[in-house]
Amino acid sequence: MLLLKALLIVTKDVYLMSTKLDFDHYNQWIAPISQLESPAFVQGLMIGQICADTSLTEALWLKQFLTEAGITKIKESWLHDLHQLYEQTLLGLNSDAFELELLLPDDTSSLAQRVHHLALWSEGVLHGLGLGQLPELNTELTELIQDLSELAMVAPPEDADDMAEEQYMQLYEFARLAAMMFYDQLHPMATKAPAKAASDAAVTLH
């Protein structure tokens, strides 16, 4: 059981980015790389690194990623995919319409799979943050790290009922918001619209 106090942003005018990230596509090419558990982990790792290092460029991130993953040879098509992932994720973090899209299985996948990969995404964010040199964090961000640590350990629900689906969506929205809050506060020069009023919500996922 996970008890997570999540800050949820309610936005009415969110629209999709022009290029949607395809979880299954990314999952196919990382499958042979045993140390990469999931495309969700890869994106989470990227977000953590971007948030922790304000001077991180795409080229530097790619170099760090390949080193961290132990990849010595990479196909040109993979470079294209990684570029798209970096570009779309960064666009989402900088969006004033809260467009950040998490690289997770879609709704056709089982709830257990979606919860599993959301936990791996959270694990990736924490690992990425740990690779950087974070400044002293305020109470809000410190608590977010604790919440992400809990989310990284969440177990898939035994019953995929409507309540479990709703709880998953709340966790998904919390994860998106947590990433954007980290980026906003650690990248003060980024231009973004002020967040709308948020409310605390207790989320329990069995």
Side-chain angles (χ1 to χ4, degrees), residues 40-57:
F41 178 86
V42 174
Q43 188 195 40
L45 178 69
M46 174 193 295
I47 289 173
Q49 290 173 284
I50 290 174
C51 290
D53 186 352
T54 58
S55 63
L56 188 69
T57 64

Side-chain angles (χ1 to χ4, degrees), residues 124-166:
V125 172
L126 293 169
H127 189 64
L129 289 171
L131 291 176
Q133 294 183 345
L134 288 173
E136 184 175 351
L137 301 180
N138 59 31
T139 301
E140 186 176 39
L141 294 187
T142 300
E143 290 177 352
L144 278 181
I145 286 181
Q146 179 59 42
D147 288 340
L148 286 173
S149 298
E150 293 184 36
L151 185 53
M153 295 185 291
V154 67
E158 295 179 1
D159 299 315
D161 54 18
D162 290 343
M163 181 176 293
E165 285 283 353
E166 182 180 349

